[in-house]
Amino acid sequence: MELLLQLSTYLCIASLLLIISSEANTDQIPKHYVVYMGSSSISESSHLELLSSVIPREEKKRVSLIHHFRHAMSGFSAMLTEREASALSGYDGVVSVFPDPILELHTTRSWDFLESDLGMNNNTSAHFSTKSDIIIGIIDTGIWPESPSFRDEGIGKIPSTWKGGCMEGPDFKKSNCNRKLIGARYYNNIQLTSSDGKNLTLTKTVTKGSPRDSVGHGTHTSSIAAGSIVNDATYYGLAKGTARGGSPSSRIAAYKTCSEQGCSGATLLKAIDDAIKDGVDIISISIGLSSLFQSDFSKDPIAIGAFHAEQFGVMVVCSAGNDGPDPYTVVNAAPWIFTVAASNIDRNFLSTIVLGNGKMFQGIGINFSNLTRSKMYPLVLGEEVAAKFAPASEARNCYPGSLDYNKVAGKIVVCVNDDPTISRKIKKLVLQDAKAMGMILIDEEKKDVPFDAAVFPFSEVTNLEGHQILRYINSTKNPTATILATREVTRYKPSPIVASFSSRGPSVLTENILKPDVMAPGVGILAAMIPKSDEPGIIPIGKKPSLFGIMSGTSMACPHVTGAAAFIKSVHRMWTPSMIKSALMTTATTYNNLRKHVTNSSNLFSSPHEMGVGEIDPLRALNPGLVFKTELEDYLKFLCYYGYSKKNIRSMSKNNFNCPRNCSEDLISNINYPSISIKTLGRHQKAKVVTRTVTNVGPTNSTYIAKVQAPKGMVIKVTPNKLVFYGGIQKRSYQVSFYNNDAQGGYNFGSITWLDGKHYVHTIFAVNTK
């Protein structure tokens, strides 16, 4: 017995040593790291010298920079072990060292909807004919230059401010660039090779080898932001009309950093650095970290790049993410980033289900089915055609491998969406491979987002319709159905509504900044697309590959705001990024096309944590009356209040800024932002007071009166409640005092509106009462 006990103890110790050894070895495997060094001007040779100081001499082949940031910011990326990265993080001048994160893609009628259906029609043709030298940098999956959305007819010479180039590849020539698409770059991917199985050598490989888009995402977002006017654009007959970007005369510079698998954070940071050097005015990024793995601002490549872009006067617009409808999922939430949520427009795509008993249901979805009412097909539940030994729960969800293909063939299958990890696309591919005649999906969560099933008959219904379909199946021995091709419904009401997938606030990083900022169309958006001819079942019979596609996501909402910002910049050339941001925020609307408060996909009133301050109104934003200028000092104070050291803040800003004597996270609410958010306000505690400063961009002599909409149980006081501008006085400051007398616990929302008889300057606030 004693011998067995000793043997057991020995084995435990040996196992523990093996685990420790394994972890130690794992820690010493080189990985791709980003070394961020703020704004300091450091040469490439100095970066190499720094790298060589931590890498052993016998591994000198690893002393190589993958990316070198040297224009708007300083730093590099390289292959480092965890120990080497830790050593570098302690060096003077190093702000942060972090593993290269993989970021996610946040995958015409929309502009018409913004301009007219929400009451914004003010001779738009005159506005959109404005000639523009504004340059938009699109950081994405590249671009398809032959798209008609990137033709340059009627566009003037390339702006003299453009300093970038047009990189070539096997399938991309300099002649693919023109006066519309003025620049294109792509980036090398990294790969580790080993000849002896031990020593790793860094090499650089090229994916696709050109700026050409092989995914479609970058082409789509580019055309939403600044696509040229294209008449009779359509997706196989759907959404027919005039396609155009938000700023059709703006120029596009494409930076290919992503593939379908995602985007290297280090590469994206390099692209931002290049875009600033190239001379872009606005950067559009429909990409972000997963909401589950958000990083501190100093370890988030988008936040880092955007911070330095702001210092160079370059606006950065980003998508809020597609992890809704849960709260605390918004990403790209730094105050110097313009963060965009997604909404629908007044168009929907309906796919009719006809049951054997004659009943019809209007499902959502895009399909170019050739099925008709004249022929019905057997209708079955997923669990009724389950494969042998497959759990019924998996068959209900149409899991890969869960269905008996012999039983599925020739039938329309009803699937559910109990498990969101199995996407609609995967379910469709499973049934298509099994030669099913079609799919009816019962899904409450994504009922507002049309899925493109191409030629495969598909329709998606809510639980209410789904229950009736299930009842029919159980009521007859031989249930049948058919699914008709999609038809388009216009003037759809209510619109906008907040998209179910759109990520929600508050931000997990700080609740004292209201995020997202605004909302823009992101559901069922028609825009340029790469011609897809190599995928089976994609192109309807007798049709050529479409030059346009319909996509949904905050990825689509982001370039709507980018285009709107470029439009405003083309009129107000001297306005800073924060002035344009303020103009779009304070003029946004919270009403739909029924003249009622915007709702979400659950038909509940939408809160600012879902839609920000509201849906953008580009035309009204041209003349906002007053703007909130958020200066570099505000952002530096934010970093102080957030807890960054004076040393790192100085390194990031390249000046001798000193933090205020008293710093706490609560003071973040006090930076001069166009909205207000207060993380905590206790009942009957001392009033929370925030200060705001507005700049007059309207008539020289004007008087504004404050109007407050306060939630029940709160008292809001504005001091002074009258702002008078005259002569040379352009700025006025005021204070807002928030009192929690007996407000309902949780977040309460309201607004302060400054009125002068012509303008209304709307500031939304969110206060978390305890």
Side-chain angles (χ1 to χ4, degrees):
M1 185 72 181
E2 187 176 342
L3 182 62
L4 286 173
L5 187 61
Q6 288 177 349
L7 182 60
S8 176
T9 303
Y10 170 78
L11 289 173
C12 286
I13 293 172
S15 298
L16 183 61
L17 289 173
L18 187 63
I19 291 170
I20 294 171
S21 174
S22 175
E23 289 180 349
N25 289 335
T26 302
D27 290 347
Q28 299 318 306
I29 295 174
K31 299 174 185 175
H32 192 193
Y33 277 84
V34 176
V35 181
Y36 169 50
M37 303 181 71
S39 295
S40 54
S41 299
I42 301 176
S43 66
E44 184 173 357
S45 60
S46 297
H47 284 155
L48 286 168
E49 187 177 334
L50 186 66
L51 196 58
S52 64
S53 69
V54 296
I55 293 178
R57 186 174 299 175
E58 60 271 18
E59 297 183 49
K60 63 180 180 179
K61 286 184 179 180
R62 280 200 292 115
V63 181
S64 174
L65 306 183
I66 297 170
H67 294 301
H68 181 218
F69 319 124
R70 61 184 183 276
H71 306 300
M73 66 203 83
S74 179
F76 59 90
S77 70
M79 301 302 296
L80 298 166
T81 64
E82 190 174 314
R83 185 178 299 168
E84 292 161 356
S86 178
L88 270 180
S89 65
Y91 278 45
D92 282 343
V94 175
V95 176
S96 60
V97 181
F98 54 95
D100 177 27
I102 300 301
L103 290 81
E104 305 169 342
L105 297 169
H106 290 152
T107 284
T108 56
R109 176 74 197 138
S110 54
W111 288 109
D112 292 336
F113 174 64
L114 284 176
E115 293 150 26
S116 60
D117 287 66
L118 295 178
M120 309 170 192
N121 193 4
N122 292 307
N123 190 19
T124 61
S125 60
H127 287 296
F128 281 99
S129 65
T130 302
K131 298 298 180 185
S132 173
D133 284 341
I134 302 302
I135 304 169
I136 299 173
I138 307 286
I139 298 178
D140 213 297
T141 61
I143 198 162
W144 191 269
E146 292 83 6
S147 168
S149 293
F150 308 127
R151 290 173 182 159
D152 63 356
E153 286 89 345
I155 296 178
K157 294 180 179 179
I158 293 174
S160 60
T161 54
W162 175 246
K163 308 299 180 187
C166 187
M167 293 176 69
E168 291 191 311
D171 58 358
F172 200 102
K173 306 302 179 186
K174 284 190 177 179
S175 58
N176 286 128
C177 290
N178 55 25
R179 296 188 304 275
K180 161 61 74 174
L181 176 59
I182 63 173
R185 287 182 183 268
Y186 67 94
Y187 296 87
N188 293 330
N189 286 336
I190 64 158
Q191 182 177 333
L192 289 176
T193 57
S194 173
S195 57
D196 58 4
K198 295 180 180 179
N199 296 312
L200 296 168
T201 303
L202 176 66
T203 60
K204 292 186 180 181
T205 61
V206 179
T207 302
K208 297 297 181 184
S210 84
R212 184 171 293 277
D213 187 2
S214 62
V215 178
H217 192 272
T219 298
H220 204 265
T221 56
S222 297
S223 66
I224 293 171
S228 299
I229 296 172
V230 182
N231 295 318
D232 297 320
T234 180
Y235 180 54
Y236 301 120
L238 292 178
K240 188 174 182 179
T242 299
R244 69 167 185 267
S247 182
S249 56
S250 287
R251 319 309 176 94
I252 296 171
Y255 297 82
K256 182 179 178 180
T257 60
C258 304
S259 67
E260 207 159 14
Q261 285 69 46
C263 320
S264 156
T267 304
L268 192 144
L269 192 57
K270 174 64 175 171
I272 296 175
D273 195 37
D274 285 340
I276 296 168
K277 181 205 69 165
D278 290 344
V280 306
D281 297 289
I282 302 171
I283 296 174
S284 189
I285 305 176
S286 293
I287 300 162
L289 292 165
S290 165
S291 62
L292 297 175
F293 304 104
Q294 291 195 59
S295 298
D296 180 78
F297 298 114
S298 67
K299 295 181 179 180
D300 178 347
I302 294 179
I304 292 169
F307 180 80
H308 291 281
E310 174 72 28
Q311 294 182 63
F312 279 80
V314 177
M315 172 179 264
V316 177
V317 186
C318 292
S319 46
N322 295 345
D323 291 336
D326 293 333
Y328 296 97
T329 52
V330 65
V331 298
N332 296 324
W336 49 83
I337 292 174
F338 204 174
T339 314
V340 187
S343 64
N344 76 334
I345 61 174
D346 64 338
R347 176 177 64 205
N348 208 349
F349 301 100
L350 301 183
S351 183
T352 303
I353 300 166
V354 183
L355 301 182
N357 61 4
K359 283 192 175 182
M360 293 189 296
F361 298 94
Q362 301 297 335
I364 303 295
I366 297 172
N367 83 80
F368 303 102
S369 161
N370 58 5
L371 304 187
T372 65
R373 296 172 187 262
S374 61
K375 185 174 181 181
M376 294 286 175
Y377 299 89
L379 179 64
V380 296
L381 302 175
E383 57 260 46
E384 293 177 342
V385 288
K388 196 173 182 180
F389 305 122
S393 59
E394 291 189 2
R396 275 169 50 82
N397 281 272
C398 299
Y399 268 52
S402 68
L403 303 179
D404 185 326
Y405 279 23
N406 293 324
K407 294 178 181 178
V408 169
K411 297 180 177 68
I412 292 175
V413 181
V414 178
C415 306
V416 299
N417 194 34
D418 296 336
D419 185 353
T421 61
I422 306 300
S423 69
R424 294 181 290 188
K425 183 176 182 179
I426 291 175
K427 296 177 196 289
K428 172 237 177 181
L429 291 173
V430 167
L431 292 181
Q432 197 169 24
D433 191 44
K435 294 182 170 49
M437 288 307 302
M439 174 170 75
I440 297 172
L441 178 63
I442 302 173
D443 182 7
E444 191 68 28
E445 282 199 4
K446 294 182 180 177
K447 60 187 178 184
D448 57 321
V449 185
F451 170 66
D452 184 0
V455 299
F456 185 70
F458 169 88
S459 190
E460 182 171 349
V461 297
T462 65
N463 291 340
L464 180 63
E465 293 93 359
H467 177 71
Q468 295 178 65
I469 293 170
L470 295 179
R471 191 164 60 185
Y472 163 69
I473 292 174
N474 293 327
S475 70
T476 181
K477 189 177 278 188
N478 297 303
T480 60
T482 189
I483 301 172
L484 305 182
T486 296
R487 62 184 179 88
E488 178 185 349
V489 176
T490 57
R491 307 298 173 188
Y492 185 81
K493 294 179 180 181
S495 298
I497 64 171
V498 182
S500 58
F501 59 76
S502 188
S503 290
R504 268 62 165 170
S507 166
V508 296
L509 297 179
T510 175
E511 295 186 37
N512 289 306
I513 296 289
L514 180 61
K515 290 287 179 172
D517 290 309
V518 292
M519 182 171 71
V523 176
I525 305 301
L526 177 79
M529 180 51 63
I530 64 174
K532 295 182 178 179
S533 58
D534 56 346
E535 295 182 42
I538 292 294
I539 304 169
I541 296 171
K543 300 282 187 178
K544 294 180 180 179
S546 178
L547 298 176
F548 293 87
I550 295 173
M551 296 179 72
S552 300
T554 52
S555 279
M556 285 66 249
C558 169
H560 274 93
V561 173
T562 302
F567 170 49
I568 295 168
K569 181 77 172 175
S570 69
V571 177
H572 301 290
R573 289 306 305 257
M574 301 309 293
W575 280 16
T576 64
S578 70
M579 293 171 74
I580 296 171
K581 180 179 185 178
S582 172
L584 283 164
M585 288 179 68
T586 60
T587 59
T589 181
T590 56
Y591 291 90
N592 60 28
N593 54 5
L594 293 174
R595 301 300 171 202
K596 295 180 179 179
H597 194 280
V598 169
T599 56
N600 57 29
S601 58
S602 299
N603 204 30
L604 302 172
F605 283 153
S606 177
S607 81
H609 284 149
E610 296 175 313
M611 65 176 177
V613 298
E615 184 95 339
I616 60 166
D617 179 344
L619 296 179
R620 192 174 288 149
L622 283 175
N623 187 17
L626 306 175
V627 294
F628 296 86
K629 293 178 71 173
T630 314
E631 310 281 8
L632 175 60
E633 184 177 342
D634 287 295
Y635 297 131
L636 297 181
K637 284 182 178 178
F638 168 84
L639 294 173
C640 294
Y641 301 151
Y642 193 77
Y644 285 92
S645 68
K646 180 176 74 174
K647 177 183 173 184
N648 280 346
I649 293 172
R650 286 186 173 185
S651 177
M652 293 166 69
S653 62
K654 212 173 182 178
N655 66 30
N656 291 323
F657 177 81
N658 286 312
C659 286
R661 185 168 296 177
N662 297 315
C663 287
S664 73
E665 189 183 354
D666 289 342
L667 292 172
I668 289 174
S669 302
N670 220 34
I671 73 168
N672 201 43
Y673 208 70
S675 59
I676 298 171
S677 184
I678 297 172
K679 181 180 180 180
T680 306
L681 182 63
R683 186 173 298 177
H684 303 300
Q685 80 172 54
K686 185 179 177 182
K688 173 75 175 180
V689 181
V690 300
T691 301
R692 289 294 186 268
T693 300
V694 288
T695 300
N696 183 22
V697 293
T700 303
N701 299 317
S702 53
T703 300
Y704 286 83
I705 305 296
K707 178 184 177 182
V708 176
Q709 184 180 4
K712 186 178 179 180
M714 289 189 67
V715 174
I716 315 297
K717 292 184 179 179
V718 181
T719 309
N721 65 354
K722 179 192 286 188
L723 300 177
V724 180
F725 298 89
Y726 59 88
I729 296 177
Q730 284 190 307
K731 293 187 177 184
R732 290 290 190 190
S733 295
Y734 62 93
Q735 290 186 325
V736 185
S737 301
F738 295 87
Y739 299 86
N740 177 8
N741 287 352
D742 195 21
Q744 182 178 349
Y747 269 99
N748 290 261
F749 307 101
S751 64
I752 301 159
T753 306
W754 291 99
L755 304 161
D756 71 341
K758 183 179 180 182
H759 306 93
Y760 68 86
V761 185
H762 205 51
T763 300
I764 298 290
F765 61 76
V767 182
N768 190 13
T769 56
K770 301 292 186 180

